[in-house]
Amino acid sequence: MFNTSSSSFVSITSPTDVASSFPSIPIPSFFASSSGSSSWLTTTLTIVVSLLLLEQSVYRYKKRHLPGPKWTIPIIGQFADSLNPTLENYKAQWASGALSAVSVFNIFIVIAATNEYARKIMNSPTFAEPCIVHAAKKILCPENWVFLSGKAHVDYRRGLNGLFTRKALGLYVGVQDTVCREHFAKWLASSAKNPKPEMIMWTARDLNMETSLRVFCGHHIPDHAFKEISDKYWAITAALELVNFPIAIPGTKVYKAIQARKAAMKWLTLSARNSKVAMAEGREPECMLDEWVKELADPSYKGRREFSDHEMAMTLFSFLFASQDAMSSGLIYGFQHLADHPEVLAKVREEQERVRGGDYQKPMTLEMMDEMTYLKAVVKESLRVKPPVTMVPYTALKAFPISEDYTVPAGAMVIPSMYPSLHDESVFPEPEKFLPERWLDPQSPANQNPKNFMVFGSGPHKCIGVEYATMNIALVLANAAVLLNWEHHRTPDSDEVQMIATLFPKDGCLLKFSPRA
């Protein structure tokens, strides 16, 4: 079609040819340059058509035999789909093939649907590195440790392992328990004033934000900072679309996210400074920062010893980035699953009665959490059915021979998908059903195939705070089971999924809370 159009433009009779057959008619001066204008127009159109043809050719060359659109929409590609991503569209993409391809704004994207290919991407740091989304480095800072690779990443991560030891988790669980009970009191007060069910989406995010900031910073951060960070943090979530306006100018999502990051970093940097002062004065650790500072001062510590306030703050911000919306999603679906499956909630309550011995005011301990076997299965199953993160974009650092017959081009985005592995019928019979019991039998297909449980990723960039995140979700649900009753107001959107960086119920999960005698 383009070739025909080009030749047609060339064959159009020029205005000067027409004028020469009527010599007696005066020709206005502006017609004198019309031949040049026609030539300019033809040249411009030829260049544009050539570039469009080149775009299609490059796309077809990179795509080769992979499933996906045969032709890409000029310039924008599948941008319209990325504006309103749906789980149904992603399921259709995964069903199209183990590897499939799309293009968005000339970013060539290969999507891996199988467990084999997803794990291969995550476990091939020489070929691919996490890029999260295109704007992630602008939001998180390009020097953030999460963007390191190779030995530099391994060494940095090793230095952070001490922040998630059992000893450290034992410190955090007391903080989590206190914050949780404070927020439950607010939830009950709000429900007492308002007889209608309310969306738990925002209240759960506030709970998780304060929990994380208290665990990370203790009392080194003022109370009013929690609200400021929480209120502004949504701008970061909103900017985590797969494709976003690339230039951070005022009014854009990326610009707002950067401003939110600056606000959070201000308080986190202050916390790091205050923690160093507190530990130098010989105080006992009360939070993650204190544990970190104390560990660095230990004479037996062999890692890097000096971290600036800014570096520490940036690391905590990366933890906040990784945990906030993922934990919120996991917690919201935990409440929804228990409300929709009262027989499961009854078993959770029976276990809580046994573990707590009827003393519901006793502060939670790590030893108590260890005894909650059924609750752990509930949390694991809830995360499997509705995984907070369905995929993590990587960038191919060089040509990546991902299979025998296909090589991902250097510079392409290559995306391992977790959702299909977590809904593999051969590993999880009746995969869409919420069945915590599948995790209680050591010989079940679920327990015999741990590689399929990819909620927290795989490889060198696997989530470093797995125990912290799952413990927080379990603790909140454990306390809720004994302290609260809640009713789920179901709507046509209750089972529909809204994809905002992580998965959330489309109706925000409408719950009505009341105190439990």
Side-chain angles (χ1 to χ4, degrees), residues 323-358:
S323 66
Q324 173 62 7
D325 287 299
M327 282 203 311
S328 297
S329 171
L331 184 57
I332 291 166
Y333 273 114
F335 272 106
Q336 180 162 310
H337 285 138
L338 288 177
D340 293 347
H341 297 83
E343 73 286 357
V344 174
L345 178 56
K347 291 180 181 179
V348 170
R349 284 173 167 160
E350 288 174 9
E351 182 177 70
Q352 291 300 307
E353 180 70 25
R354 176 179 57 78
V355 172
R356 298 173 187 248

Side-chain angles (χ1 to χ4, degrees), residues 68 196 199 236 474 486:
K196 296 181 180 179
M199 288 194 302
I236 295 174
W486 63 95

Side-chain angles (χ1 to χ4, degrees), residues 84-145:
N84 185 30
T86 65
L87 188 57
E88 289 69 27
N89 285 349
Y90 277 119
K91 285 181 178 180
Q93 186 79 32
W94 295 324
S96 69
L99 295 171
S100 58
V102 296
S103 177
V104 180
F105 277 125
N106 282 317
I107 302 173
F108 184 71
I109 303 170
V110 176
I111 298 176
T114 66
N115 184 267
E116 174 192 357
Y117 288 138
R119 291 178 66 84
K120 187 169 185 177
I121 295 166
M122 294 179 184
N123 286 276
S124 301
T126 58
F127 286 103
E129 67 177 12
C131 64
I132 309 176
V133 295
H134 187 67
K137 287 190 176 182
K138 295 180 181 178
I139 297 170
L140 295 180
C141 297
E143 69 272 22
N144 200 304
W145 78 281

Side-chain angles (χ1 to χ4, degrees), residues 93-353:
Q93 186 79 32
W94 295 324
S96 69
L99 295 171
S100 58
V102 296
S103 177
V104 180
F105 277 125
N106 282 317
I107 302 173
F108 184 71
I109 303 170
V110 176
I111 298 176
T114 66
N115 184 267
E116 174 192 357
Y117 288 138
R119 291 178 66 84
K120 187 169 185 177
I121 295 166
M122 294 179 184
N123 286 276
S124 301
T126 58
F127 286 103
E129 67 177 12
C131 64
I132 309 176
V133 295
H134 187 67
K137 287 190 176 182
K138 295 180 181 178
I139 297 170
L140 295 180
C141 297
E143 69 272 22
N144 200 304
W145 78 281
V146 298
F147 299 117
L148 296 176
S149 58
K151 187 177 184 302
H153 175 263
V154 172
D155 290 344
Y156 201 108
R157 183 185 175 105
R158 186 184 294 119
L160 301 176
N161 286 336
L163 305 181
F164 297 99
T165 61
R166 184 170 175 84
K167 175 177 173 291
L169 293 174
L171 174 64
Y172 306 156
V173 72
V175 179
Q176 291 170 306
D177 187 54
T178 299
V179 175
C180 172
R181 291 173 184 272
E182 290 174 353
H183 277 260
F184 281 0
K186 295 177 184 178
W187 294 6
L188 289 174
S190 177
S191 286
K193 293 179 181 178
N194 181 12
K196 296 181 180 179
E198 299 181 61
M199 288 194 302
I200 192 181
M201 182 170 172
W202 302 108
T203 52
R205 292 185 80 257
D206 288 342
L207 164 60
N208 277 330
M209 178 63 77
E210 184 169 352
T211 299
S212 294
L213 290 175
R214 278 284 181 233
V215 167
F216 298 165
C217 306
H219 290 87
H220 302 311
I221 184 172
D223 291 346
H224 63 85
F226 297 142
K227 180 169 176 54
E228 180 183 353
I229 295 174
S230 186
D231 289 347
K232 293 182 178 179
Y233 193 88
W234 182 250
I236 295 174
T237 300
L240 294 179
E241 296 169 335
L242 189 59
V243 177
N244 230 318
F245 188 77
I247 304 173
I249 58 177
T252 64
K253 291 181 179 180
V254 174
Y255 176 84
K256 293 176 182 178
I258 291 173
Q259 302 313 304
R261 180 251 296 162
K262 290 178 179 178
M265 284 291 293
K266 175 186 69 175
W267 294 114
L268 295 175
T269 303
L270 174 65
S271 299
R273 187 181 313 127
N274 291 341
S275 175
K276 289 177 180 178
V277 172
M279 293 302 97
E281 293 174 350
R283 299 184 204 173
E284 285 299 311
E286 66 170 31
C287 63
M288 183 179 288
L289 269 173
D290 293 346
E291 281 288 325
W292 193 1
V293 173
K294 189 174 181 179
E295 183 181 31
L296 295 176
D298 190 328
S300 63
Y301 181 70
K302 297 181 180 179
R304 177 183 164 194
R305 291 183 176 276
E306 292 297 327
F307 286 86
S308 68
D309 298 341
H310 176 77
E311 284 180 299
M312 285 186 152
M314 193 159 50
T315 300
L316 294 187
F317 184 73
S318 71
F319 291 164
L320 196 64
F321 173 80
S323 66
Q324 173 62 7
D325 287 299
M327 282 203 311
S328 297
S329 171
L331 184 57
I332 291 166
Y333 273 114
F335 272 106
Q336 180 162 310
H337 285 138
L338 288 177
D340 293 347
H341 297 83
E343 73 286 357
V344 174
L345 178 56
K347 291 180 181 179
V348 170
R349 284 173 167 160
E350 288 174 9
E351 182 177 70
Q352 291 300 307
E353 180 70 25

